[in-house]
Amino acid sequence: MSTLFILNQPELLDDCITVMQPDDALLLIENAVVIATKSSTTQYKMFVLKDDLIARGLFESIHDQSTAIDFSKFVELTLAYDKSVSWL
Amino acid sequence: MSTLFILNQPELLDDCITVMQPDDALLLIENAVVIATKSSTTQYKMFVLKDDLIARGLFESIHDQSTAIDFSKFVELTLAYDKSVSWL
Amino acid sequence: MKSICFIFNKPPYGDHKGRELLDICLMSAAFDMPITVIFKSQGVYQLLQNQQPDVISVKNHSATFKALDLYGVENILVESESLLEHNLKMEQLLPIAEAVSQDVVKHQIASSDFVIGL
Amino acid sequence: MKSICFIFNKPPYGDHKGRELLDICLMSAAFDMPITVIFKSQGVYQLLQNQQPDVISVKNHSATFKALDLYGVENILVESESLLEHNLKMEQLLPIAEAVSQDVVKHQIASSDFVIGL
Amino acid sequence: MVTANPYTAQGQYTALRFANEVINKGHQLKRIFFYADGVLIASRLNCPPSDEINLTKAWAKLAIEKDVELTVCVTAALKRGIVNQAEADRNALTGENLDPAFEISGLGQLTEAMLESDKLITFG
Amino acid sequence: MVTANPYTAQGQYTALRFANEVINKGHQLKRIFFYADGVLIASRLNCPPSDEINLTKAWAKLAIEKDVELTVCVTAALKRGIVNQAEADRNALTGENLDPAFEISGLGQLTEAMLESDKLITFG
């Protein structure tokens, strides 16, 4: 089964990645969007909530490994993956 | 001036240490007492709140680089150092 | 029946999260859902023996962990890599969990219908 | 007069802490206390230009940061090591802070009478 | 499930936007279950600054207009001082503060909703 | 200063023990200032399980027996639904929940206390 991991605290990234499988994706929301400005070595698909980027002045700084999405796409992602896990 | 740094979240240890001076001390309380079970390479004096160790079953596991203290000593430390800083 | 996996990843007593996650776990067990409980990262401290949170006026929930099998929760796992990271040995923990590798943890999370942490 | 140092070390808007720390800062300025403001670790994101938190229905406190000098707060420092770690340049930040080394930050904290973070 | 502290975390707002979008897309949203610090949202005494969104009222609007159940866990609520008249009477408390759009109930409501739904999304 | 969420963090309890010890040792404790999520402690509706400590009542006991001021920041309190009758009237809220041992006041009380005291200890 594929999983959408939802992360809202940047400091939990490393911990979250330890449980991810190749087909899983990571969605960065709230304060965790700051992660999207850095290049990463993770092989996972990475989505970022657009409004949280704009709020923090980071929309222009996003790294091209990440895809900015709106709430409509957020809902679609939770349907496209078998389940969603908020990594708290 | 000497400072007593009070830490209650183990994940903030590295950040806290970046602002410490040689004469400063670190007091571990609440969840941060788990740090006291590991050997560390920091040169700072390290105190640990005893009741928080006992609560978590860690009193026997404390590393000998740390000193367990009670609330009476906690109050004395805040007087012995010029100021106390809670690193949140 | 849908399966559910609980992730304990924080030390006890600094907050109420361990206790409140355990409550969901017990309720799900009462509904006969197949349950996996995972202790990972700093959550491994939840299982330490000889906890005495009465000294900080908090209720000890170790006894409830020990009673999980009475509720039919038998799949209780602790991640070996986390034990190593926190310098803990299985002998120091309540004898209710099985040590497994990170790969097993990953597989359990992937194969559950719901995954809940707090 | 006793001096006071404020440490901003978290990104904005994920919580109210930045806003609530800023409120203490303004109040202390009204009492004419000598103030140092330090942006460190993830707190450097507090100073990013072009923040638009109205899209998430939160009030923008950038304007208040910009007004700090009107309140007599002139010692506003951002830690160079933190900028580097988060891949940010001074040009991306509000032009109100001076970049200083970790040693300067350390010294400012050591020499203040009170140090407050949230 | 919403466990986010309304003030210390942004999760209540994110959950609200997400819930509205789910309904706009024509999906069925059975229940919002408030747990842990998330229950703090259910106090009608919450009074944010006038230039900021009142999240309690925003949830209430969603509940009324779109017929979504807002369920607050009784155990989590009582210890956090969120009570209705019945709970106040039962626990000898002087006063109550539950917003009428929210309903206090047991943790079983979460488990029951999980069994009946395809998805559970947590906002913490 | 106490900024700890009474439920998500242990800081309220640590602060209480510390405050009692300060007084036992004969030092003067001018004021406990509750700020940020720390204000949540001031609701008299907080009702922890009967086998756990009621921290609101424990603070109230300290205030009454040892004559310590318990001051709650009004701005932080209002948005978190902690109100007395005067604030309820001013903001058109139906009800109030402040425990009578606590007093609602402004942030200036913190700064004033800092100027008059040798030490400030924060519990977050």
Side-chain angles (χ1 to χ4, degrees):
Chain A
M1 296 203 294
S2 63
T3 303
L4 176 69
F5 284 90
I6 304 173
L7 189 72
N8 70 348
Q9 298 165 79
E11 49 277 13
L12 294 184
L13 175 66
D14 291 341
D15 196 47
C16 182
I17 281 175
T18 65
V19 299
M20 290 179 70
Q21 305 263 21
D23 287 345
D24 296 343
L26 188 63
L27 168 60
L28 304 172
I29 65 171
E30 303 171 6
N31 276 354
V33 301
V34 303
I35 295 169
T37 60
K38 298 174 199 169
S39 72
S40 78
T41 52
T42 71
Q43 73 271 43
Y44 305 104
K45 222 175 271 177
M46 206 187 278
F47 301 98
V48 198
L49 197 55
K50 191 174 154 187
D51 282 358
D52 281 325
L53 285 167
I54 294 171
R56 291 164 183 79
L58 287 167
F59 189 51
E60 306 292 327
S61 317
I62 181 175
H63 197 274
D64 58 14
Q65 288 168 323
S66 311
T67 310
I69 63 162
D70 59 14
F71 271 92
S72 169
K73 180 80 181 172
F74 183 178
V75 172
E76 284 166 21
L77 283 177
T78 61
L79 297 170
Y81 287 81
D82 291 310
K83 67 172 175 289
S84 300
V85 175
S86 296
W87 198 255
L88 301 172
Chain B
M1 296 204 294
S2 64
T3 303
L4 176 70
F5 284 91
I6 303 173
L7 189 72
N8 69 350
Q9 298 165 79
E11 48 277 11
L12 294 183
L13 175 67
D14 291 341
D15 196 47
C16 181
I17 281 176
T18 66
V19 300
M20 290 179 71
Q21 305 263 23
D23 288 344
D24 295 344
L26 189 63
L27 168 60
L28 305 173
I29 65 170
E30 304 171 3
N31 276 354
V33 300
V34 304
I35 295 169
T37 60
K38 298 174 201 170
S39 71
S40 77
T41 52
T42 72
Q43 73 272 43
Y44 305 105
K45 222 175 272 178
M46 205 186 278
F47 302 98
V48 199
L49 198 54
K50 191 173 153 187
D51 282 358
D52 281 327
L53 286 167
I54 294 171
R56 291 164 181 80
L58 287 166
F59 189 50
E60 306 292 326
S61 318
I62 181 177
H63 197 275
D64 59 13
Q65 286 168 325
S66 311
T67 309
I69 63 162
D70 60 15
F71 272 90
S72 169
K73 179 80 180 171
F74 182 178
V75 173
E76 284 166 22
L77 283 177
T78 61
L79 297 170
Y81 287 81
D82 291 311
K83 67 172 174 289
S84 301
V85 175
S86 296
W87 199 256
L88 301 171
Chain C
M1 192 60 136
K2 285 167 183 165
S3 62
I4 180 165
C5 174
F6 293 93
I7 314 275
F8 290 83
N9 64 353
K10 297 178 184 67
Y13 311 122
D15 56 51
H16 292 205
K17 290 177 182 179
R19 172 78 240 180
E20 295 191 318
L21 186 57
L22 189 53
D23 283 345
I24 306 183
C25 186
L26 296 178
M27 182 59 75
S28 307
F31 277 72
D32 288 329
M33 295 174 82
I35 291 172
T36 302
V37 178
I38 292 173
F39 295 88
K40 178 180 162 56
S41 308
Q42 294 188 37
V44 295
Y45 291 107
Q46 293 276 354
L47 286 178
L48 270 179
Q49 301 218 24
N50 304 319
Q51 295 179 21
Q52 296 173 252
D54 50 302
V55 302
I56 53 168
S57 297
V58 179
K59 203 176 158 185
N60 193 338
H61 55 248
S62 293
T64 316
F65 280 128
K66 281 190 272 190
L68 279 175
D69 67 333
L70 298 178
Y71 289 85
V73 180
E74 285 164 1
N75 201 17
I76 305 177
L77 311 174
V78 53
E79 191 184 81
S80 301
E81 285 81 353
S82 299
L83 287 176
L84 197 67
E85 188 190 339
H86 295 287
N87 202 18
L88 294 174
K89 297 193 183 58
M90 282 303 278
E91 304 86 79
Q92 296 172 267
L93 306 188
L94 299 175
I96 61 165
E98 183 189 349
V100 297
S101 71
Q102 204 160 71
D103 275 346
V104 173
V105 168
K106 212 183 266 201
H107 175 77
Q108 290 284 344
I109 290 174
S111 60
S112 298
D113 292 309
F114 298 108
V115 177
I116 300 184
L118 277 188
Chain D
M1 192 60 137
K2 285 168 183 164
S3 62
I4 180 165
C5 175
F6 294 94
I7 315 275
F8 290 83
N9 64 353
K10 297 178 183 66
Y13 310 123
D15 56 52
H16 293 205
K17 290 177 181 178
R19 173 77 240 180
E20 295 191 317
L21 186 57
L22 188 53
D23 283 344
I24 305 183
C25 185
L26 294 178
M27 182 58 74
S28 309
F31 278 72
D32 288 329
M33 296 174 82
I35 291 172
T36 302
V37 178
I38 293 173
F39 295 89
K40 177 180 163 57
S41 308
Q42 294 190 37
V44 296
Y45 291 107
Q46 293 276 353
L47 287 177
L48 271 179
Q49 299 217 26
N50 303 319
Q51 295 179 22
Q52 295 173 251
D54 51 300
V55 301
I56 53 167
S57 297
V58 178
K59 203 175 159 186
N60 193 338
H61 56 247
S62 294
T64 316
F65 279 129
K66 281 190 271 190
L68 278 174
D69 68 334
L70 298 179
Y71 289 86
V73 180
E74 285 164 0
N75 201 18
I76 305 177
L77 311 174
V78 53
E79 191 185 80
S80 301
E81 285 82 352
S82 299
L83 287 176
L84 197 66
E85 188 192 338
H86 295 286
N87 202 18
L88 295 173
K89 296 192 184 56
M90 282 301 279
E91 304 87 79
Q92 295 172 268
L93 307 187
L94 299 175
I96 61 165
E98 182 190 347
V100 297
S101 71
Q102 203 159 72
D103 275 345
V104 173
V105 168
K106 215 183 264 201
H107 176 77
Q108 290 284 345
I109 290 175
S111 60
S112 297
D113 292 310
F114 298 108
V115 177
I116 300 185
L118 277 187
Chain E
M1 175 158 69
V2 183
T3 62
N5 181 320
Y7 322 105
T8 303
Q10 196 193 328
Q12 292 275 352
Y13 177 78
T14 309
L16 178 71
R17 288 279 298 273
F18 185 87
N20 272 299
E21 190 67 29
V22 167
I23 293 165
N24 286 347
K25 283 180 166 295
H27 301 291
Q28 203 205 332
L29 184 60
K30 180 172 172 56
R31 176 177 295 154
I32 315 277
F33 190 81
F34 295 89
Y35 191 56
D37 278 348
V39 303
L40 292 166
I41 197 69
S43 168
R44 69 169 184 275
L45 301 181
N46 292 341
C47 184
S50 55
D51 54 356
E52 287 189 17
I53 185 172
N54 184 321
L55 286 165
T56 303
K57 287 188 180 157
W59 278 120
K61 185 166 179 284
L62 179 79
I64 293 157
E65 292 179 1
K66 310 289 180 178
D67 201 23
V68 175
E69 283 177 44
L70 304 178
T71 308
V72 177
C73 172
V74 60
T75 317
L78 261 181
K79 63 180 178 179
R80 289 173 176 85
I82 306 296
V83 289
N84 57 13
Q85 193 58 55
E87 291 299 330
D89 293 344
R90 191 170 303 142
N91 296 280
L93 300 170
T94 53
E96 48 75 43
N97 58 358
L98 189 77
D99 187 282
F102 294 77
E103 188 191 349
I104 288 186
S105 189
L107 194 48
Q109 299 287 309
L110 170 65
T111 318
E112 189 208 278
M114 284 168 70
L115 291 172
E116 293 175 19
S117 307
D118 295 321
K119 305 281 178 188
L120 165 77
I121 319 285
T122 303
F123 292 89
Chain F
M1 175 159 68
V2 183
T3 62
N5 180 321
Y7 322 107
T8 303
Q10 196 194 328
Q12 292 275 352
Y13 177 79
T14 310
L16 178 72
R17 288 279 298 274
F18 185 86
N20 272 299
E21 190 66 29
V22 166
I23 292 165
N24 286 346
K25 282 178 167 298
H27 301 292
Q28 204 204 332
L29 185 60
K30 182 174 170 56
R31 178 176 292 155
I32 315 278
F33 190 82
F34 295 90
Y35 191 56
D37 279 347
V39 303
L40 292 167
I41 197 68
S43 168
R44 69 170 185 275
L45 302 181
N46 292 341
C47 183
S50 55
D51 54 357
E52 287 189 18
I53 186 171
N54 184 320
L55 286 164
T56 303
K57 289 191 178 155
W59 278 120
K61 186 165 179 284
L62 179 79
I64 293 159
E65 292 179 1
K66 311 289 182 179
D67 202 24
V68 175
E69 283 177 44
L70 304 179
T71 308
V72 177
C73 172
V74 60
T75 316
L78 261 181
K79 64 179 175 179
R80 289 173 175 85
I82 306 295
V83 290
N84 58 13
Q85 193 59 55
E87 290 300 331
D89 293 346
R90 191 170 302 141
N91 296 281
L93 300 170
T94 53
E96 48 76 43
N97 58 357
L98 189 76
D99 186 282
F102 294 77
E103 190 191 348
I104 288 186
S105 189
L107 196 47
Q109 298 288 309
L110 170 65
T111 319
E112 189 209 278
M114 284 167 70
L115 291 173
E116 293 175 22
S117 307
D118 296 320
K119 305 282 178 187
L120 165 78
I121 319 283
T122 303
F123 293 89

